[in-house]
Amino acid sequence: MTGNLLHPLPDARGGEVFETLLARPGVRVERIVSHGQATPEEAPYCQPHDEWVLLLAGQARLWIEGEGEIALAPGDRRLIPAGTAHRVTWTAPDEPTVWLALHFGEEEG
Amino acid sequence: MTGNLLHPLPDARGGEVFETLLARPGVRVERIVSHGQATPEEAPYCQPHDEWVLLLAGQARLWIEGEGEIALAPGDRRLIPAGTAHRVTWTAPDEPTVWLALHFGEEEG
């Protein structure tokens, strides 16, 4: 429950690192560390729950169905409504990118 | 639901600025901008719900009952359990300090 979300960071060059920071009824708080990864074009995410993302560090681009591709810098946030396909199309290749993700009303299991 | 949480910032020199970014069953997401303020020693906060804070920018010190005073830098986070008295004892006087606060299981209004 304590500790810094930006220092030190896990090495994500070999794959994104997902960590649930805490969970409460109705919401799960997750940190995601990326390092150059992108979501495969043929396999977008599409969850049955609302998700809110906030970029904490690094640089990314996110494609959201019906909205197109957007660039995200630290401090940028975005609500991804339930059932909306989305993909990370790019994350900075030369530095870690850190996301805070809130998953609302997620189903158990 | 979009926009950057760090730029531009409201001028908080005359008083802290609280903004609810979004609310869902079980959680309310709030941004707080401080600029030199502290919580009066005789009037600590003490809510009946868990709160999680993440410092996004600036510098702060937080006193938590039973834990003492802790310094917070960007990326630092802290869970403040329900019923635990706490106070912001200091925020940087020369720059804005930006908090993300999650209020869990808050009672309705």
Side-chain angles (χ1 to χ4, degrees), chain A residues 4-5 24 50 75-77, chain B residues 2 4-5 24 50 75-76:
Chain A
N4 193 284
L5 294 186
R24 287 289 183 283
D50 284 356
D76 282 333
R77 59 179 162 144
Chain B
T2 65
N4 192 285
L5 293 186
R24 286 288 183 283
D50 284 356
D76 282 332

Side-chain angles (χ1 to χ4, degrees), chain B residues 46-104:
Chain B
C46 189
Q47 305 103 317
H49 61 268
D50 284 356
E51 178 177 358
W52 184 84
V53 293
L54 167 64
L55 205 79
L56 296 177
Q59 300 288 332
R61 287 200 293 267
L62 184 63
W63 173 85
I64 301 178
E65 180 184 8
E67 191 169 351
E69 192 176 23
I70 53 172
L72 298 176
D76 282 332
R77 57 173 162 146
R78 187 66 50 150
L79 180 71
I80 304 168
T84 304
H86 59 285
R87 297 189 276 119
V88 176
T89 52
W90 178 85
T91 55
D94 53 353
E95 61 173 337
T97 290
V98 184
W99 313 75
L100 187 75
L102 305 184
H103 301 274
F104 300 109

